[in-house]
Amino acid sequence: MSRPVDKRVFADKVLNDWLSSVGLGIEYTRADGNTLYFVDENGDEVPVLDHVCGFGSLILGHNNREIVEHAKSVLDRQVPVYVQLSRQSHADDVAAELNAILRREIPDGDQHYSAIYANSGAEAVEICLKHAELERQARIAALADEVGTHIEQAREAFRAGNVTVADTPYVRVERNGGADEFESLVAEVERRNAELMAREPVHLALENAFHGKLVASIQLTQNPHWRTPFTALASSTRFVRADQPEAMKTAIEDVRESMLDVLVDDGVVTVAERDFPVIGAFFVEPVQGANGMRVLTEEAAREIRAVCDAVGCPLVVDEIHSGMGRTGAFFASKHMGLRGDYYTLSKSLGGGIAKNSVVLFRQDRFRPEFEVIHSSTYAKDGYSGAIAKKVLRMLEADNGKAYAVAAELGGKLKAVLESVRAEFPEVVDAVNGIGLMLALEFKDQTNASSELISEKARSGMLGYVIAGYILREHRIRVLPLGPSGNSVRFEPSIFLTDADIARTGAALRDACTILRDQAGHRLAR
Ligand code: F0G
């Protein structure tokens, strides 16, 4: 007889064991608005205030009643869900609404933006990478064409005996006095150019960026632990600091490459350098979520726009985390006046009950062939399209009341976080973020006098242990974030109440007291 199998070994066993070890291994059985519920050992349903809210994908809360009702009616009406390669007007409806919002928040003349749909954030980012590469290849082809024409012109002049071949620092000229002099120079130029054209692009992103975890997008996510095992799989990224415009310029100089051109000047064949498009795109989060909710400054936004204009590469504004109203505007880039060439959206676009993402491409850069050469079975489906339409209608209702609520609640929550910081200056380093995209950053505890606290801090676990404590003692769900896991993230829905905010303050004061008093034993379970 075969032994019964423990089914808990099949999915994420290691992760689940680890979650249990820090007190986060709870199975939630119900979710409504800003509240999760689990059933305790007595069979009672226990409510938990959720500040994680689907990693920021629940601006309208868990299982929003209005969205759920809408979803039911969509399914009851037998709306087609998967009908690839047919007309799907919901895709146009959503894109039209997003265009109207974009025009209102980030005015951009007559430009409109074309939409390509996907299923997840990272997938949207990878679509940007692919499209940027199409743009780059087109620029390379145009440059190579021009160089080819110049070579032909020089060849004709050389054959006619009108010109001589000059020495050049770029390639060695075979001196034999004959036709070979010219042809060997051209062969070397063409070899060098072909080598350059075959090379992969370099992308730019900000330090501590997070843009996803798929094969190519992980290279845009700085965390070395997640990124470096996979560097051989995709093109690399130069990470630059948002607050150092000079460093941005240096980075661009560092990666600069030149294509060789053959020109005839005053009876002499010479070789000249032409700027080669090495940089694929510059990826920017208006509010860096995984970097502890850091808001881009207006100055940095201006600098990044200037860099992209100078280089000629698209500026990708990744609004996957910051978009959909969470910061008090639909697009967080509105706050710093950042005008992108591509915009990504995901998370709350799915209304908390669907997976969806979209990229908006500025018309003057959009390559229409992309609509045909890129596809995905599930993207642009009828179900998530209907949900996205509903979500946009709800966010835009009453003159965008949802954005005002996010700003107001965010202001109140931030004030409470600030008061915790003022009360515990020895424990709390900073409060970051905007609207309902906030983080409380703890001071480093690696040299704490409490052995438990310092040990957990050194292993990067302290944030999780604190989250486990706050869940156990206060029935509030928070999670750490930031490059060293020292921040706690707050990205609740717009249904957060004043009482929720007050409870959050009390829980944080309790956690800060443990750190201030170095009462590590209270964190132990
Ligand atoms: N871009 C940004 C700015 C993100 O915050 C995320 C995900 C992604 C891309 C990737 O999206 O997970 O759907 O593939 N952020 C999550 C977070 C993981 O922790 O907030 P995905």
Side-chain angles (χ1 to χ4, degrees), residues 55 120-122 210-212 285 318 320-321 347 489:
F55 283 163
S120 71
F210 188 104
H211 294 289
E285 296 160 85
D318 183 346
I320 286 165
H321 209 153
K347 299 212 187 228
R489 65 199 285 171

Side-chain angles (χ1 to χ4, degrees), residues 265-305:
D265 187 22
D266 222 6
V268 181
V269 174
T270 58
V271 174
E273 284 187 309
R274 304 284 302 276
D275 248 1
F276 180 79
V278 188
I279 297 174
F282 197 154
F283 286 77
V284 177
E285 296 160 85
V287 183
Q288 285 192 301
N291 192 15
M293 309 298 189
R294 278 169 216 273
V295 185
L296 199 71
T297 63
E298 273 179 44
E299 195 193 353
R302 252 195 323 273
E303 202 58 45
I304 291 164
R305 185 67 257 176

Side-chain angles (χ1 to χ4, degrees), residues 122-199:
E123 200 184 318
V125 168
E126 302 229 349
I127 283 175
C128 296
L129 284 165
K130 280 182 71 179
H131 191 280
E133 182 60 3
L134 266 194
E135 276 199 45
R136 196 181 75 98
Q137 288 298 336
R139 290 170 64 204
I140 292 172
L143 186 57
D145 257 10
E146 217 180 291
V147 169
T149 305
H150 290 162
I151 289 174
E152 243 356 274
Q153 287 165 351
R155 183 174 280 129
E156 271 167 35
F158 187 81
R159 281 193 187 137
N162 298 338
V163 292
T164 55
V165 175
D167 277 324
T168 154
Y170 305 114
V171 293
R172 210 165 70 82
V173 180
E174 296 288 341
R175 287 288 169 208
N176 57 15
D180 286 358
E181 267 186 20
F182 179 82
E183 290 306 330
S184 71
L185 173 122
V186 167
E188 185 58 12
V189 164
E190 286 178 340
R191 188 190 63 75
R192 292 265 301 268
N193 285 350
E195 215 175 80
L196 189 61
M197 287 192 286
R199 292 224 320 243

Side-chain angles (χ1 to χ4, degrees), residues 27-349:
E27 177 152 8
Y28 295 98
T29 48
R30 196 162 73 83
D32 178 22
N34 226 84
T35 311
L36 285 162
Y37 298 86
F38 69 90
V39 177
D40 70 11
E41 56 275 18
N42 304 320
D44 295 328
E45 198 176 50
V46 181
V48 170
L49 166 59
D50 188 11
H51 273 300
V52 181
C53 272
F55 283 163
S57 61
L58 302 171
I59 181 78
L60 294 171
H62 287 280
N63 292 321
N64 181 290
R65 306 269 164 97
E66 213 179 315
I67 300 175
V68 169
E69 282 312 313
H70 182 70
K72 284 181 184 167
S73 86
V74 166
L75 297 176
D76 283 344
R77 278 182 282 131
Q78 298 185 315
V79 167
V81 177
Y82 298 122
V83 264
Q84 298 84 351
L85 292 182
S86 70
R87 290 203 69 95
Q88 300 188 74
S89 63
H90 59 81
D92 279 325
D93 295 343
V94 170
E97 188 63 51
L98 292 173
N99 265 278
I101 297 170
L102 200 49
R103 212 170 301 123
R104 181 184 73 222
E105 293 197 339
I106 307 158
D108 189 17
D110 292 336
Q111 284 291 329
H112 81 263
Y113 289 72
S114 291
I116 297 284
Y117 291 87
N119 307 282
S120 71
E123 200 184 318
V125 168
E126 302 229 349
I127 283 175
C128 296
L129 284 165
K130 280 182 71 179
H131 191 280
E133 182 60 3
L134 266 194
E135 276 199 45
R136 196 181 75 98
Q137 288 298 336
R139 290 170 64 204
I140 292 172
L143 186 57
D145 257 10
E146 217 180 291
V147 169
T149 305
H150 290 162
I151 289 174
E152 243 356 274
Q153 287 165 351
R155 183 174 280 129
E156 271 167 35
F158 187 81
R159 281 193 187 137
N162 298 338
V163 292
T164 55
V165 175
D167 277 324
T168 154
Y170 305 114
V171 293
R172 210 165 70 82
V173 180
E174 296 288 341
R175 287 288 169 208
N176 57 15
D180 286 358
E181 267 186 20
F182 179 82
E183 290 306 330
S184 71
L185 173 122
V186 167
E188 185 58 12
V189 164
E190 286 178 340
R191 188 190 63 75
R192 292 265 301 268
N193 285 350
E195 215 175 80
L196 189 61
M197 287 192 286
R199 292 224 320 243
E200 53 195 26
V202 175
H203 298 103
L204 302 178
L206 298 179
E207 280 206 354
N208 295 313
F210 188 104
H211 294 289
K213 286 186 172 177
L214 290 181
V215 166
S217 48
I218 190 62
Q219 293 309 318
L220 297 162
T221 292
Q222 192 174 21
N223 186 323
H225 180 60
W226 298 333
R227 174 174 49 88
T228 53
F230 309 104
T231 49
L233 291 178
S235 52
S236 64
T237 300
R238 276 295 293 244
F239 294 98
V240 297
R241 281 185 59 156
D243 59 349
Q244 290 181 350
E246 279 315 306
M248 254 184 243
K249 292 195 181 89
T250 313
I252 286 155
E253 278 310 311
D254 283 355
V255 300
R256 185 183 288 274
E257 295 282 359
S258 304
M259 201 171 201
L260 298 180
D261 200 355
V262 177
L263 300 173
V264 176
D265 187 22
D266 222 6
V268 181
V269 174
T270 58
V271 174
E273 284 187 309
R274 304 284 302 276
D275 248 1
F276 180 79
V278 188
I279 297 174
F282 197 154
F283 286 77
V284 177
E285 296 160 85
V287 183
Q288 285 192 301
N291 192 15
M293 309 298 189
R294 278 169 216 273
V295 185
L296 199 71
T297 63
E298 273 179 44
E299 195 193 353
R302 252 195 323 273
E303 202 58 45
I304 291 164
R305 185 67 257 176
V307 162
C308 291
D309 290 343
V311 170
C313 72
L315 166 48
V316 183
V317 178
D318 183 346
E319 291 261 16
I320 286 165
H321 209 153
S322 57
M324 306 295 303
R326 172 163 297 290
T327 65
F330 185 91
F331 289 98
S333 18
K334 175 178 190 252
H335 301 299
M336 64 290 298
L338 179 65
R339 208 270 295 150
D341 298 301
Y342 308 174
Y343 292 88
T344 55
L345 289 166
S346 185
K347 299 212 187 228
S348 292
L349 186 62

